[in-house]
């Protein structure tokens, strides 16, 4: 419990420092408009990556339709704020409360659709989820293009913008916090146990269908939140942005970072969002480079950059110390077989 | 003595093969019963029937007088039937402590939101489960390995951890599938002592599958012998080992 308290204090301090830094950079004019939108995109991708990681990494089920849930959240939240602005608008600024409520409703609808799509696939043992989600995302895309109130194939225009970096970064941090706390709770343990051995989990009293569905629905919820943020940062939505390639891109964040590690998902999402911005030439070949990265990764470190390791301000320094201690001991020729890590 | 688990005329076929038929069993509190028989006799299949992994094609199962037919394995765990596996099935990549904590899940109440937002109820329950889990690990002398990945434990300790995990579900009946498989002589005897100890300490009924006839006669008070899916003998160890059918089966086998 002592380490837990220490972790909370350290994390709180680093969040405050992060906001001070953000504030200094914004007021000091160090962020160009372009970089501000990169940060927003980065936040969106981080949320998408950690949420998919819950299903793919922690639960161990491949899902190929994350962009579909993102689109449901995006359109729902956008339609809510549009309606609100049309009926009660005084300015063209979306009130923060309405924005947050719109995001949450978008997330809830995405979660509900996740329940309907996920439950039948997750009742079965095996990788049915991949196929079902793949089909689902395509169907959603076609439906959005077909319907009128979504703007059809022309897209949904005139969405009121919400690009306040403090708000978006704060939401992202809250989502990261919630994913970590979920991962380290009875629910998280139950979900992990299914990944480890579904039959043993069931024989330990874990309702595997319930927990599989829970993980998937929570994933869909946060994908919906990411969609809502996206809608209000772009101001316009078209269904084809949420196609198969977007789902694959999110999956690449997870696999590259290390499925099962939220830290890995965050780092991979940040790297793969920022890199194309820094190297403009690279941007055109983004998907190609992703694929090459993925192949290289599969050959040299199939478990991803971080494997299942999680960064922690309390434990990581200890782990690093232990790692180097072990190396020097090895050099001295000492036998070392104690390779456990306290999480 | 009250009857806890009762199976009557249990049977199952896979395609044309009758893996188990006419199987009867009564377990009472504090019973320590052995289930033996040659390879492929149907012992593990009986476990799978009793734990809801397979649905019997014939017969009935009752737990404390209520039918448990058609219930899922996790539901049966909640009702009090726990088991271990012939080929150890641990959650290998997570800690020994977490392996045990997982088995407490169905006794826990913390909601998803309470967990995610770390409400006071979360901490309280988490702490009490941790204490209980460590207590259980102590019974098996495993508490010093609590932060090891379960898969890194030596084989014998993994077998013990699996039993600890099963006990964490707070069972009324414990089914152990060849818990001594792969252990050496001393380890086996230690384990048999532990099994007797947990039967007394936790006040449960234990059904034990074991290949080794001598071993099982040493600790079980009653023994059921299966061959080709049918019970060929049942009774006290002395009666069973002197039963001509059993002798024939075991002489024909190279055990
Ligand atoms: N799911 C299944 N599908 C088809 N046949 C099965 C299935 N499960 C078990 N059997 C068959 O039922 C018979 C009994 O198997 P079981 O595993 O119960 O034997 P056992 O007594 O546990 O043997 P062992 O001592 O080798 O563990 C075997 O012939 C086996 O092939
Ligand atoms: Mg068997």
């Amino acid at each position: 419990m002592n380490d837990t308290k220490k972790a909370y204090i350290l994390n709180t301090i680093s969040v405050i420092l992060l906001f001070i830094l953000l504030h200094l950079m914004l007021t000091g004019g160090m962020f160009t408009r372009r970089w501000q939108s990169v940060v927003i995109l980065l936040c969106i991708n981080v949320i998408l990556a950690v949420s998919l990681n819950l299903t793919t990494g922690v639960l161990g089920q491949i899902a190929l339709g994350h962009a579909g849930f993102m689109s449901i959240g995006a359109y729902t939240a956008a339609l809510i704020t549009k309606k609100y602005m049309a009926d009660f608008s005084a300015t063209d600024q979306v009130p923060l409360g309405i924005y947050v409520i719109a995001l949450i409703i978008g997330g809830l609808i995405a979660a509900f659709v996740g329940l309907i799509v996920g439950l039948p696939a997750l009742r079965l043992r095996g990788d049915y989820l991949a196929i079902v989600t793949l089909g689902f995302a395509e169907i959603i895309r076609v439906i959005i293009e077909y319907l009128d109130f979504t703007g059809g194939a022309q897209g949904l225009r005139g969405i009121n913008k919400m690009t306040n970096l403090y708000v978006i970064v704060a939401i992202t941090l809250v989502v990261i916090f919630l994913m970590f706390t979920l991962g380290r709770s009875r629910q998280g343990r139950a979900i992990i146990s299914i990944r480890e051995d579904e039959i043993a989990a069931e024989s330990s009293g874990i309702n595997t269908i319930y927990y599989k569905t829970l993980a998937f629905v929570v994933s869909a919820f946060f994908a919906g939140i990411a969609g809502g943020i996206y809608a209000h940062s772009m101001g316009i939505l078209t269904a084809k942005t949420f196609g198969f390639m977007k789902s694959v891109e999110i999956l690449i964040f997870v696999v590259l970072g290390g499925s099962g590690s939220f830290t890995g998902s965050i780092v991979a999402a940040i790297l793969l969002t920022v890199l194309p911005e820094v190297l403009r030439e690279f941007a055109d070949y983004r998907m190609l480079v992703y694929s090459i990265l993925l192949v290289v990764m599969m050959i040299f470190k199939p478990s991803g950059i971080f494997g299942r390791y999680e960064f922690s301000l309390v434990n990581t320094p200890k782990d690093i110390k232990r790692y180097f201690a072990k190396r020097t001991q090895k050099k001295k020729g000492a036998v070392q077989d104690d390779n456990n890590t306290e999480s | 003595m009250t009857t806890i688990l009762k199976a009557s005329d249990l049977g199952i076929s896979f395609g044309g093969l009758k893996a188990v038929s006419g199987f009867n069993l009564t377990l009472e509190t504090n019973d320590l019963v052995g289930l033996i028989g040659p390879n492929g006799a149907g012992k593990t299949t009986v476990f799978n029937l009793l734990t809801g992994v397979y649905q019997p094609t014939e017969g009935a199962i009752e737990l404390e007088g209520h039918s448990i037919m058609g219930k899922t394995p996790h539901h049966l765990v909640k009702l009090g039937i726990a088991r271990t596996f012939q080929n150890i099935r641990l959650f290998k990549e997570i800690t020994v402590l977490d392996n045990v904590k997982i088995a407490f899940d169905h006794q826990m109440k913390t909601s998803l939101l309470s967990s995610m937002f770390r409400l006071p109820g979360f901490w309280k329950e988490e702490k009490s489960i941790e204490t209980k889990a460590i207590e259980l690990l102590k019974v098996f002398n495993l508490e010093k390995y609590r932060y090891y990945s379960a898969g890194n434990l030596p084989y014998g300790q993994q077998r013990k951890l699996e039993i600890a995990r099963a006990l964490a579900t707070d069972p009324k009946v414990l089914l152990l599938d060849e818990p001594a498989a792969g252990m050496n002589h001393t380890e086996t005897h230690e384990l048999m002592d532990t099994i007797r100890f947990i039967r007394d300490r936790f006040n449960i009924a234990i059904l034990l599958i074991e290949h080794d006839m001598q071993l099982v006669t040493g600790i079980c008070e009653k023994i059921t012998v299966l061959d080709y899916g049918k019970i060929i003998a049942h009774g006290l160890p002395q009666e069973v080992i002197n039963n001509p059918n059993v002798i024939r089966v075991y002489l024909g086998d190279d055990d």
Side-chain angles (χ1 to χ4, degrees):
Chain A
M1 284 296 136
N2 219 353
D3 266 6
T4 319
K5 268 196 195 119
K6 211 156 110 192
Y8 272 75
I9 294 166
L10 282 173
N11 288 332
T12 313
I13 293 171
S14 30
V15 166
I16 293 169
L17 287 177
L18 181 72
F19 271 91
I20 292 174
L21 183 73
L22 185 68
H23 183 71
L24 289 177
M25 285 177 89
L26 279 171
T27 49
M30 286 166 78
F31 266 146
T32 57
R33 282 238 154 259
R34 196 183 123 219
W35 274 101
Q36 291 189 27
S37 48
V38 171
V39 173
I40 293 175
L41 186 63
L42 184 154
C43 287
I44 293 166
N45 282 341
V46 165
I47 296 176
L48 289 169
V50 292
S51 61
L52 181 63
N53 192 13
L54 182 62
T55 294
T56 296
V58 183
L59 174 65
Q61 293 265 339
I62 291 181
L64 290 169
H66 219 49
F69 295 110
M70 183 189 177
S71 72
I72 293 174
Y75 277 90
T76 308
L79 288 168
I80 290 171
T81 54
K82 254 175 95 85
K83 176 87 179 128
Y84 177 86
M85 298 308 280
D87 292 356
F88 308 98
S89 92
T91 58
D92 61 348
Q93 201 76 32
V94 189
L96 183 59
I98 299 298
Y99 173 71
V100 172
I101 289 170
L103 292 191
I104 291 174
I105 295 176
L108 287 175
I109 305 251
F112 179 71
V113 176
L115 179 68
I116 293 169
V117 172
L119 192 55
L122 292 167
R123 292 186 79 89
L124 308 166
R125 207 159 273 162
D127 283 331
Y128 295 95
L129 193 67
I131 299 157
V132 170
T133 47
L134 177 72
F136 146 78
E138 284 306 293
I139 291 168
I140 281 290
R141 195 172 57 79
V142 172
I143 291 176
I144 290 173
E145 282 182 348
Y146 177 78
L147 290 174
D148 275 339
F149 69 91
T150 56
Q154 273 78 49
L156 188 66
R157 287 157 199 280
I159 303 163
N160 294 80
K161 281 209 170 185
M162 168 67 197
T163 53
N164 185 328
L165 270 189
Y166 301 106
V167 173
I168 293 172
V169 170
I171 293 174
T172 308
L173 290 175
V174 169
V175 173
I176 292 172
F177 170 82
L178 293 178
M179 294 318 273
F180 269 95
T181 52
L182 172 59
R184 290 171 188 176
S185 66
R186 59 174 279 230
Q187 288 85 2
R189 277 197 302 266
I191 295 166
I192 292 171
S193 77
I194 298 170
R195 171 190 79 200
E196 292 291 302
D197 190 328
E198 195 168 339
I199 291 170
E202 187 78 24
S203 294
S204 304
I206 300 296
N207 185 342
T208 52
I209 295 173
Y210 170 78
Y211 277 115
K212 282 199 278 184
T213 311
L214 180 79
F216 185 63
V217 166
V218 172
S219 269
F221 175 81
F222 287 115
I225 298 273
I229 299 173
Y230 177 80
H232 293 88
S233 74
M234 300 306 283
I236 174 167
L237 289 174
T238 46
K240 63 174 180 294
T241 8
F242 304 104
F244 177 61
M245 287 323 276
K246 183 64 192 170
S247 293
V248 170
E249 191 186 341
I250 306 166
L251 188 63
I252 288 174
F253 297 151
V254 173
V255 174
L256 220 53
S259 49
S261 161
F262 290 120
T263 310
S265 298
I266 296 166
V267 171
I270 293 176
L271 278 180
L272 294 185
T273 312
V274 172
L275 273 184
E277 292 300 324
V278 181
L279 310 164
R280 271 279 144 142
E281 315 79 71
F282 167 85
D284 293 337
Y285 303 101
R286 208 175 41 143
M287 287 317 274
L288 181 67
V289 174
Y290 283 5
S291 320
I292 294 170
L293 269 178
L294 209 55
V295 171
V296 170
M297 205 67 182
M298 287 301 125
I299 294 169
F300 293 104
K301 198 165 186 302
S303 59
I305 303 171
F306 284 82
R308 282 179 184 150
Y309 187 79
E310 293 293 9
F311 175 79
S312 132
L313 286 169
V314 175
N315 289 324
T316 301
K318 288 186 203 164
D319 292 338
I320 293 172
K321 225 181 275 168
R322 202 178 297 151
Y323 175 78
F324 281 106
K326 213 180 274 178
R327 289 202 102 181
T328 40
Q329 231 169 25
K330 253 187 201 152
K331 272 188 199 139
K332 283 180 201 152
V335 190
Q336 177 86 13
D337 58 358
D338 165 72
N339 54 357
N340 64 317
T341 44
E342 257 176 66
S343 54
Chain B
M1 280 283 153
T2 45
T3 302
I4 300 195
L5 189 71
K6 189 170 154 75
S8 343
D9 265 326
L10 221 51
I12 187 169
S13 335
F14 298 110
L17 174 84
K18 272 207 163 203
V20 172
S21 64
F23 183 83
N24 288 297
L25 175 82
T26 308
L27 283 179
E28 302 184 331
T29 350
N30 268 324
D31 263 355
L32 181 40
V33 177
L35 181 61
I36 62 170
N39 282 108
K43 306 179 293 292
T44 301
T45 305
V46 166
F47 271 27
N48 286 333
L49 288 170
L50 296 177
T51 54
V53 175
Y54 296 155
Q55 290 306 321
T57 41
E58 304 150 23
I61 313 169
E62 283 179 3
L63 183 71
E64 296 182 309
H66 301 286
S67 169
I68 53 165
M69 303 288 281
K71 294 210 162 40
T72 54
H74 73 85
H75 193 178
L76 292 179
V77 174
K78 211 169 176 170
L79 293 176
I81 304 180
R83 75 175 291 180
T84 64
F85 293 88
Q86 186 169 355
N87 318 300
I88 308 175
R89 282 180 173 270
L90 288 171
F91 309 123
K92 288 205 182 85
E93 292 200 23
I94 57 178
T95 63
V96 167
L97 185 60
D98 276 347
N99 265 267
V100 178
K101 277 185 180 175
I102 284 163
F104 281 104
D105 189 77
H106 68 92
Q107 303 159 57
M108 294 177 79
K109 292 190 175 64
T110 309
S111 70
L112 178 68
L113 288 184
S114 183
S115 290
M116 287 174 94
F117 290 97
R118 290 291 191 256
L119 302 182
F122 167 85
W123 294 112
K124 227 174 109 189
E125 193 173 52
E126 200 58 23
K127 209 170 174 180
S128 92
I129 290 305
E130 175 139 347
T131 316
K132 282 189 196 169
I134 290 173
E135 252 166 45
L136 251 180
L137 287 177
K138 278 184 184 152
V139 172
F140 294 89
N141 268 323
L142 287 169
E143 79 276 14
K144 53 182 173 294
Y145 300 120
R146 71 179 87 155
Y147 296 123
Y148 275 56
S149 298
N152 287 346
L153 287 184
Y155 187 80
Q157 314 281 23
Q158 291 197 15
R159 284 250 175 239
K160 286 194 201 165
L161 176 57
E162 213 192 7
I163 301 175
R165 185 182 68 188
L167 283 172
T169 64
D170 192 22
K172 299 182 175 107
V173 185
L174 179 61
L175 311 178
L176 302 172
D177 198 344
E178 303 201 24
M183 285 186 174
N184 64 31
H185 198 71
T186 16
E187 283 177 322
T188 305
H189 277 269
E190 246 178 62
L191 182 76
M192 290 300 158
D193 286 341
T194 318
I195 289 173
R196 243 188 307 244
F197 170 76
I198 54 178
R199 189 265 310 260
D200 298 333
R201 152 121 185 229
F202 296 93
N203 240 314
I204 51 178
I206 295 178
L207 180 63
L208 177 87
I209 293 181
E210 200 35 83
H211 237 30
D212 189 328
M213 187 76 141
Q214 272 161 348
L215 206 149
V216 87
T217 48
I219 100 162
C220 294
E221 290 122 12
K222 271 183 273 170
I223 294 174
T224 296
V225 190
L226 270 186
D227 190 29
Y228 290 110
K230 286 199 171 65
I231 294 178
I232 56 163
H234 172 76
L236 300 172
Q238 284 317 310
E239 298 167 7
V240 165
I241 39 174
N242 294 320
N243 183 310
N245 286 332
V246 178
I247 294 169
R248 186 173 35 78
V249 164
Y250 270 82
L251 284 179
D253 207 31
D254 48 10
D255 248 303

